[in-house]
Amino acid sequence: MFVDTSRKYRNFEGFGASGAWWAQLVGGWPCRDEIVRLLYSPDDGIGLTAYRYNIGAGSARSGLGDIGNPLRRTDCFETAPGRYDFDRDREAVSVLRAAVRYGAKEVVFFVNSPPERLTVSGMAHCDRRRPFRNNLPRGNEAAFADFCLDVTEHFVREGLPVKYLSPINEPLWVWNGGQEGCHYSPAAAARVMGLIARKMDDRPALRDVKLSGFENGDVRWFNRTYTRYLFRDPAVSRRAPGVDVHSYFLNPGPIPILNDRAGFLRRFRRWMERRYPDKTIRMSEWCHMQGGRDSSMASALVMARVIWEDLTILNASAWQHWIAVSEVDYCDGLIYIDPETQTYSLTKRYYATGNFSKYIPVGAVRVRAETRDKALLACAFAHPDGLTAVVVNETAQTRAIDLPGNAYLAVVTDDAQDLAEHPVSGRRLTLTPRSVTTILCRKEDAS
């Protein structure tokens, strides 16, 4: 394995996950702190550093809309225009606070839909009879901006480390049921974001809060369009240090040109480097999007490849899971829960995420990393304590690599091991089949 620490790419902001669709349930369980500690503690867990909190639109209280799963509904802090009850969504807020207590250094507030009273449909999703219609009318944009900023300011004053506000989530989609969501055209999204940016300037308490957006839902479609609209307003450009994207698109379709995921990532990164060289790309949401629960290395390796592609090809400065905890029969989440017994189980995705999140510190700089074996996926990060390299072996065979410097520890997740730590001596390391291996080098030994 060859590592060139003089070839630097991007400072890394950390790994995280969302509390949407589970925190309002787990927040009332006796094992709440145990689950949050497993996610956010750098010592007893995998050391996630970012927590994404969903500011709700109120469908849980109203019961309106076509949202079958009650956990996909949210409460809303607003009781009347300009009035709030911050005891609402109590269980989800308790998870937010616990995440910060155990190690989250960054909180992101994101909004799927404006409060129901502000939408065209009167619901927390669009009217299916009118697809691709903006569900937030122009006359209500200022009220929505005030709502977002009032909620954000409340928790900033409480002392939570709110770093980002993301008022618009996946604006491209129709959102006509199944969960809260709001369609925005690029121009409508830009108007809302510009209004929020200017209103933020009038609130000293929000001086250090940044904007993120537009969190488009597929790495293939309209990311350049929405990004151009995002940064065309100088007020937004000052508040938004980069663009947030979701890394969905995995399963091949019938048209070959649309199956090249790495190609889409590469083209978008190069376009950003030409057009907005001072802006970062943050990957703010991904899950496997496959039916049925999968706790095995099969799903963990799919996820590890996506992380590797996003860090190295897209050059992402942050990487965040959609949800940390899942109660459904689906391939998402790092932890599965059973609502009837209020118990949980860990997945290989949890441990493989830890191979990255537990050992790549916030502020680390990604550097050049390569292996002679093209079947292996490698990345490396330099930081004050030394060097962290992660190597993914997707094959069913053992593989041998040269080590970068005199590494002292290898941490392995595979079919039989979960973040198992092995002392290292010498300059060669054998990688087990179907594995994710983290290699640690001390500062004086890193090369």
Side-chain angles (χ1 to χ4, degrees):
M1 181 178 181
F2 172 73
V3 174
D4 181 1
T5 56
S6 69
R7 182 72 179 272
K8 296 178 172 64
Y9 294 97
R10 179 76 73 192
N11 283 35
F12 195 65
E13 298 180 54
F15 293 88
S18 160
W21 301 359
W22 63 272
Q24 67 268 44
L25 179 66
V26 172
W29 289 7
C31 62
R32 177 201 67 193
D33 278 22
E34 189 173 348
I35 289 175
V36 177
R37 185 170 62 249
L38 284 166
L39 293 165
Y40 284 91
S41 170
D43 300 316
D44 303 323
I46 58 172
L48 299 179
T49 57
Y51 184 86
R52 290 172 58 82
Y53 175 81
N54 180 204
I55 300 177
S59 62
R61 189 168 295 264
S62 72
L64 298 174
D66 181 16
I67 304 175
N69 187 334
L71 286 181
R72 297 189 179 190
R73 295 178 176 272
T74 64
D75 208 342
C76 183
F77 295 121
E78 187 184 71
T79 59
R83 300 181 65 181
Y84 301 91
D85 178 0
F86 287 103
D87 284 333
R88 292 183 175 184
D89 207 22
R90 181 179 304 173
E91 286 76 15
V93 171
S94 77
V95 172
L96 162 64
R97 291 173 178 148
V100 172
R101 189 165 66 249
Y102 282 113
K105 299 176 175 62
E106 167 188 309
V107 172
V108 181
F109 281 169
F110 74 99
V111 182
N112 286 331
S113 168
E116 289 178 318
R117 74 172 181 89
L118 298 177
T119 65
V120 174
S121 66
M123 301 179 292
H125 62 70
C126 304
D127 187 335
R128 67 176 61 251
R129 297 168 299 179
R130 299 178 177 181
F132 293 106
R133 180 181 181 182
N134 299 333
N135 205 31
L136 177 66
R138 287 199 180 203
N140 291 344
E141 289 171 345
F144 175 54
D146 290 336
F147 166 78
C148 292
L149 298 179
D150 288 346
V151 172
T152 303
E153 186 168 350
H154 169 84
F155 287 101
V156 167
R157 291 186 180 279
E158 188 180 291
L160 293 179
V162 183
K163 184 175 180 180
Y164 289 99
L165 168 64
S166 177
I168 293 173
N169 186 70
E170 297 191 343
L172 177 62
W173 305 136
V174 176
W175 296 125
N176 57 15
Q179 68 174 79
E180 295 186 350
C182 185
H183 174 74
Y184 297 85
S185 67
R191 284 197 309 272
V192 172
M193 195 69 89
L195 184 59
I196 290 176
R198 284 181 285 278
K199 283 178 172 285
M200 289 177 81
D201 291 339
D202 296 329
R203 299 191 183 218
L206 302 182
R207 179 183 63 251
D208 297 326
V209 177
K210 299 174 173 51
L211 284 174
S212 71
F214 286 121
E215 306 212 41
N216 227 4
D218 191 311
V219 296
R220 295 171 293 180
W221 312 126
F222 294 98
N223 283 292
R224 296 183 187 185
T225 302
Y226 277 95
T227 300
R228 280 193 292 265
Y229 274 88
L230 177 68
F231 293 131
R232 72 178 187 177
D233 188 323
V236 176
S237 191
R238 285 195 301 270
R239 282 281 184 175
V243 60
D244 288 58
V245 299
H246 293 176
S247 205
Y248 295 115
F249 161 51
L250 191 61
N251 298 320
I255 304 175
I257 196 173
L258 301 182
N259 297 337
D260 182 10
R261 185 179 188 278
F264 283 100
L265 296 177
R266 188 176 295 108
R267 286 189 290 274
F268 184 64
R269 186 204 74 220
R270 290 173 176 170
W271 180 80
M272 285 289 296
E273 289 172 347
R274 292 193 305 270
R275 189 77 180 257
Y276 306 104
D278 61 331
K279 300 296 186 182
T280 61
I281 304 173
R282 292 167 52 89
M283 206 302 293
S284 56
E285 185 179 314
W286 182 86
C287 73
H288 194 159
M289 294 284 283
Q290 174 179 287
R293 289 193 173 193
D294 186 344
S295 298
S296 74
M297 279 303 296
S299 176
L301 289 170
V302 170
M303 178 204 71
R305 170 173 278 276
V306 170
I307 293 176
W308 176 83
E309 288 180 346
D310 290 348
L311 297 184
T312 62
I313 300 175
L314 185 63
N315 200 21
S317 65
W319 203 94
Q320 296 161 359
H321 284 277
W322 161 222
I323 57 174
V325 178
S326 175
E327 98 289 357
V328 296
D329 187 23
Y330 200 67
C331 192
D332 62 354
L334 304 177
I335 298 175
Y336 284 127
I337 55 173
D338 183 339
E340 291 187 4
T341 61
Q342 296 188 2
T343 56
Y344 67 89
S345 61
L346 303 179
T347 69
K348 289 291 184 179
R349 287 189 302 278
Y350 167 84
Y351 293 109
T353 295
N355 278 93
F356 294 89
S357 60
K358 191 175 178 70
Y359 301 99
I360 300 173
V362 172
V365 180
R366 189 172 68 83
V367 296
R368 182 183 177 189
E370 297 176 353
T371 64
R372 291 194 182 99
D373 189 339
K374 300 305 180 184
L376 303 177
L377 311 176
C379 60
F381 292 80
H383 47 83
D385 294 328
L387 180 79
T388 299
V390 182
V391 184
V392 181
N393 177 15
E394 299 173 301
T395 76
Q397 295 81 39
T398 59
R399 301 277 177 164
I401 61 169
D402 297 319
L403 291 170
N406 294 318
Y408 69 92
L409 191 68
V411 186
V412 182
T413 297
D414 58 19
D415 287 305
Q417 302 177 88
D418 300 323
L419 291 176
E421 297 186 349
H422 301 278
V424 172
S425 60
R427 297 302 296 262
R428 293 280 285 176
L429 179 68
T430 298
L431 304 175
T432 58
R434 293 163 48 85
S435 63
V436 183
T437 301
T438 305
I439 301 163
L440 301 182
C441 297
R442 293 185 179 88
K443 182 176 183 180
E444 62 269 24
D445 296 331
S447 62

